[in-house]
Amino acid sequence: MTIGPIDHVYYMVQDMDRAVRFYQDVLGLRLLRRDDSFWAELDGGSIRLALHGTREGAPVERGGAVAAFRVDDLEEATVGLKEHGVEPAHQGEVEGYGRFVLFPDPDGNLIEIIEYAPREEP
């Protein structure tokens, strides 16, 4: 059996219009495909980030994966998110590796932005 590379990751969302607006307007991702309130795919660079709608009234189940987006300037990206009303849920640093900020999307799914530490050449 052969498993290929990751094709996409997805989050469950209750309000597809609100979620698509967030990922387009706040994160700047380009919408690739939209199937009403059931499915949307956005250009996440090397893989697609997808949104899967819930049945009406069904709760959004959270947990599991976190989509992480690389940034060149963590402070600038954090300020930009705050300007859109997005408040960080957690921030931290792994010494010698990078600094990160976790924040929720409108449905409470966690997203991470990460600035990697400069690498020293051996």
Side-chain angles (χ1 to χ4, degrees):
M1 180 172 102
T2 302
I3 301 293
I6 293 175
D7 179 71
H8 68 276
V9 295
Y10 67 90
Y11 285 129
M12 299 297 290
V13 300
Q14 286 183 327
D15 184 329
M16 186 63 72
D17 291 331
R18 177 185 68 187
V20 168
R21 277 193 311 273
F22 174 81
Y23 284 94
Q24 284 185 297
D25 298 346
V26 177
L27 298 185
L29 301 183
R30 185 171 55 93
L31 183 65
L32 299 173
R33 175 180 166 201
R34 172 87 187 258
D35 293 329
D36 198 28
S37 62
F38 305 108
W39 187 258
E41 292 179 14
L42 299 113
D43 185 354
S46 59
I47 63 170
R48 288 169 289 157
L49 178 67
L51 306 170
H52 190 303
T54 60
R55 287 179 291 111
E56 188 172 328
V60 172
E61 300 204 18
R62 294 172 191 83
V66 172
F69 295 88
R70 183 182 304 199
V71 297
D72 293 327
D73 186 326
L74 189 67
E75 283 80 21
E76 178 184 55
T78 302
V79 167
L81 290 168
K82 286 181 176 182
E83 288 173 352
H84 284 281
V86 180
E87 288 299 320
H90 177 75
Q91 50 193 349
E93 180 173 357
V94 178
E95 191 172 330
Y97 184 72
R99 302 177 310 132
F100 62 91
V101 176
L102 290 166
F103 60 93
D105 76 359
D107 287 283
N109 297 302
L110 286 178
I111 297 169
E112 176 182 270
I113 54 174
I114 184 166
E115 175 187 310
Y116 290 102
R119 297 190 135 193
E120 294 182 21
E121 295 298 321

